[in-house]
Amino acid sequence: MECLYSFLGFLLLATRLPLDATKQFHEVLSNERTSSYMREHNHLNGWSSDENDWNEELYPVWKRGDPRWKMSWKGGHMQVNLTSDSPALVGSNITFTVKLVFPRCQKEDADGNIVYEKNCRNDTGPSPDPYVYNWTAWTEDGDWGNGTNQRHHVFPDGRPFPHHHGWRKMNFVYMFHTLGQYFQKLGRCSVNVSVNTTNMTLGPQLMEVTVYRRHRWSYVPMAKVKTVYVVTDQIPLFVNMSQKNDRNLSDETFLRGLPITFNVLIHDPSHFLNESAIHYKWNFGDGTGLFASNNHTLNHTYVLNGTYSFNLTVQAAVPGPCPSPTPRPPKPTRSSLPAGDNPLELWETLDENCQINRYGYFKATITIVDGILEVNIIQMTDVQIPPPQPDNSLMDFVVTCQGIIPKEVCTVISDPTCQIAQGTFCNPVDVGDMCLLTVRRAFNGSGTYCMNLTLGDDVSLALTSTLVSVPGRGPGSPSRMVNGVLVSVGSLAILVAVIALLVYKKHKEYKPVENSTGIKDKGLNAFLNHAKAKFFSGSREKDPLLKNSPGNL
């Protein structure tokens, strides 16, 4: 009898050994065991518990450092990239993308086979066999067909492959693992998996992917990769701030007196908020108050220099299921009701159009400084040079600007369509208190040109463009572009010369204007208006500023 008990115990032990040796998914897909809380409270739709058994016979498991990893792919090292469109607002979908990066000179063809690229040499030289893995040939041999080997067309948990169109061209098995659950997918060199985040735990989470490739009647592990994704209850957003003439859009430094465009970009790749009512509350920090709108774009102009704290709050009313109703008191009997009361009025009518308010926040520190606000070309003059004439035509451009004094002037000369550049020239600017300068540029013969002129300093960049008509210089002018010369003038005398050129159509020698009360204080605009009144037909008074005899400028 004792021998019988011993024999039965041995049978029970032998029966239990395979069960103890069977691996579970969390042992294969992750180095850390997920807590039971995660398994019980965060079920993902379509995913399975990682406590299920893993078919190690069909899908072998290799430990880290196993030398077989180096031989898992023919012709080089296979890389796997895993990305996601995280962060994701809770309730939306988050998509994970896995892409296989084959060794050099390898690619996947239309039939799912891995082939060597033509006219490409890898590190080991050209291969006489055009295939790295010819899975189509294995299928034709019966290894992957509809014969007796259907038991090999299964995932690690034993479930069969989905037999949709083109499934036989998919030779990679992807195992996704997160939050104590796994999702298995058959695919080619790139796959996408979308997961709804309604039941996901907020905060950063880890997604791990293990990739197997087909090898006749079994599968070979190729790579493991992981990435961190984030689920949040705040709307992911960013505000793009832009301004005309701002030189650096990323330093959050802008110019006084010019409107700044604030454009809110909400990160919602799954279009979860498409049916939501979204409102924006703007506070620019300059004492102008709070602005509320349903437009994601708004312009604002700061009128004083300084540092300001910009704050934005975004509210989205997301349609969603209504919460479970609270327990109601027992229905009163008619005898217990006061006279005139209707029992129906005591019951709450459920509203099936419920919504959840989600909020997003953005803060930035904005610095406002002075800069170049505007640039204008007020005069173009053909430079007359006595014989022998140079190879190129010279033109003078009188330029004014508003704002601070520039440090640099650049010109780009191109064809009349402003598309094909012929020359770019930059020069430092050295002027006085007034932004007034003359730029001389050379053109490669007669014709029409497009010229872009830019004035810049450390924080601003102002641009203007004009079409230039260059008169002919006679035949034989070579077609080439030479560098120009910058002439800077920092006094009011050049303005008098410009006006004289407008009147007499030729160059005149000029004398600096004597200081007089009123002219200097009014600035350039007042001086232009005063000069026009004296030089043009509206006034018959002789110009007192032109005192000297004609000469060359």
Side-chain angles (χ1 to χ4, degrees), residues 252-368:
E252 296 183 348
T253 298
F254 299 95
L255 311 180
R256 176 175 63 91
L258 290 180
I260 304 173
T261 299
F262 296 84
N263 184 23
V264 183
L265 305 175
I266 295 179
H267 181 72
D268 184 27
S270 66
H271 310 293
F272 176 65
L273 299 177
N274 275 12
E275 304 300 325
S276 304
I278 302 179
H279 300 279
Y280 305 85
K281 296 180 181 179
W282 314 76
N283 187 341
F284 297 100
D286 59 351
T288 54
L290 184 67
F291 297 88
S293 70
N294 57 1
N295 194 335
H296 65 90
T297 301
L298 192 66
N299 292 336
H300 185 75
T301 301
Y302 289 90
V303 297
L304 296 176
N305 290 350
T307 301
Y308 302 92
S309 179
F310 166 70
N311 289 273
L312 171 71
T313 301
V314 178
Q315 177 185 350
V318 183
C322 296
S324 301
T326 56
R328 299 173 180 173
K331 183 178 180 180
T333 61
R334 184 173 299 273
S335 60
S336 64
L337 292 175
D341 287 348
N342 187 344
L344 296 179
E345 295 177 357
L346 300 178
W347 291 91
E348 178 185 359
T349 303
L350 288 178
D351 182 7
E352 298 299 334
N353 297 320
C354 296
Q355 62 185 25
I356 302 173
N357 288 328
R358 297 295 183 188
Y359 297 88
Y361 307 94
F362 182 86
K363 295 182 179 181
T365 300
I366 296 177
T367 302
I368 303 299

Side-chain angles (χ1 to χ4, degrees), residues 7 15-16 41 60 92 121 151 176 186 210 259 309 403 406 463 483 493 498 525-526 535-536:
F7 179 72
T15 305
R16 183 169 179 81
H41 298 280
S92 68
R121 295 177 60 90
R151 61 189 180 91
F176 292 80
L186 184 68
T210 302
S309 179
L463 170 70
N483 201 347
V498 171
N525 291 331
F535 279 94
F536 291 96

Side-chain angles (χ1 to χ4, degrees), residues 119-436:
N119 302 321
C120 180
R121 295 177 60 90
N122 57 15
D123 296 336
T124 60
S127 173
D129 186 358
Y131 289 95
V132 182
Y133 293 103
N134 188 356
W135 286 307
T136 300
W138 295 356
T139 302
E140 294 172 353
D141 291 340
D143 292 341
W144 203 248
N146 297 322
T148 59
N149 296 320
Q150 287 296 319
R151 61 189 180 91
H152 300 290
H153 304 165
V154 296
F155 289 109
D157 62 359
R159 278 181 279 188
F161 291 157
H163 288 190
H164 50 73
H165 176 71
W167 72 276
R168 290 187 178 88
K169 297 180 180 180
M170 300 179 179
N171 298 289
F172 299 98
V173 176
Y174 298 85
M175 306 302 303
F176 292 80
H177 183 232
T178 189
L179 297 176
Q181 297 158 80
Y182 69 89
F183 182 85
Q184 48 200 6
K185 186 168 185 177
L186 184 68
R188 298 183 60 168
C189 65
S190 178
V191 296
N192 296 323
V193 170
S194 294
V195 190
N196 187 268
T197 61
T198 299
N199 294 328
M200 282 191 175
T201 303
L202 298 181
Q205 308 294 344
L206 185 65
M207 174 65 75
E208 299 174 286
V209 177
T210 302
V211 186
Y212 280 75
R213 68 168 173 87
R214 176 191 165 199
H215 183 69
R216 294 195 178 273
W217 292 355
S218 63
Y219 300 87
V220 176
M222 288 172 36
K224 288 186 176 182
V225 64
K226 56 187 176 181
T227 188
V228 174
Y229 64 96
V230 177
V231 179
T232 176
D233 58 353
Q234 294 188 5
I235 302 172
L237 60 89
F238 177 76
V239 178
N240 182 33
M241 296 175 284
S242 61
Q243 183 187 46
K244 177 185 176 183
N245 295 355
D246 183 26
R247 187 158 196 162
N248 187 354
L249 297 179
S250 62
D251 62 357
E252 296 183 348
T253 298
F254 299 95
L255 311 180
R256 176 175 63 91
L258 290 180
I260 304 173
T261 299
F262 296 84
N263 184 23
V264 183
L265 305 175
I266 295 179
H267 181 72
D268 184 27
S270 66
H271 310 293
F272 176 65
L273 299 177
N274 275 12
E275 304 300 325
S276 304
I278 302 179
H279 300 279
Y280 305 85
K281 296 180 181 179
W282 314 76
N283 187 341
F284 297 100
D286 59 351
T288 54
L290 184 67
F291 297 88
S293 70
N294 57 1
N295 194 335
H296 65 90
T297 301
L298 192 66
N299 292 336
H300 185 75
T301 301
Y302 289 90
V303 297
L304 296 176
N305 290 350
T307 301
Y308 302 92
S309 179
F310 166 70
N311 289 273
L312 171 71
T313 301
V314 178
Q315 177 185 350
V318 183
C322 296
S324 301
T326 56
R328 299 173 180 173
K331 183 178 180 180
T333 61
R334 184 173 299 273
S335 60
S336 64
L337 292 175
D341 287 348
N342 187 344
L344 296 179
E345 295 177 357
L346 300 178
W347 291 91
E348 178 185 359
T349 303
L350 288 178
D351 182 7
E352 298 299 334
N353 297 320
C354 296
Q355 62 185 25
I356 302 173
N357 288 328
R358 297 295 183 188
Y359 297 88
Y361 307 94
F362 182 86
K363 295 182 179 181
T365 300
I366 296 177
T367 302
I368 303 299
V369 298
D370 288 324
I372 306 171
L373 305 182
E374 186 178 350
V375 57
N376 292 289
I377 299 175
I378 63 173
Q379 178 67 27
M380 292 183 294
T381 306
D382 179 24
V383 179
Q384 302 292 334
I385 301 178
Q389 294 182 352
D391 296 337
N392 298 276
S393 298
L394 299 179
M395 297 286 291
D396 279 350
F397 301 88
V398 179
V399 181
T400 64
C401 69
Q402 296 181 12
I404 66 174
I405 303 300
K407 295 182 179 181
E408 180 183 59
V409 58
C410 291
T411 56
V412 178
I413 300 175
S414 55
D415 69 316
T417 64
C418 302
Q419 300 295 322
I420 303 175
Q422 300 177 1
T424 302
F425 312 112
C426 294
N427 303 94
V429 173
D430 184 15
V431 297
D433 297 334
M434 179 176 291
C435 182
L436 181 65

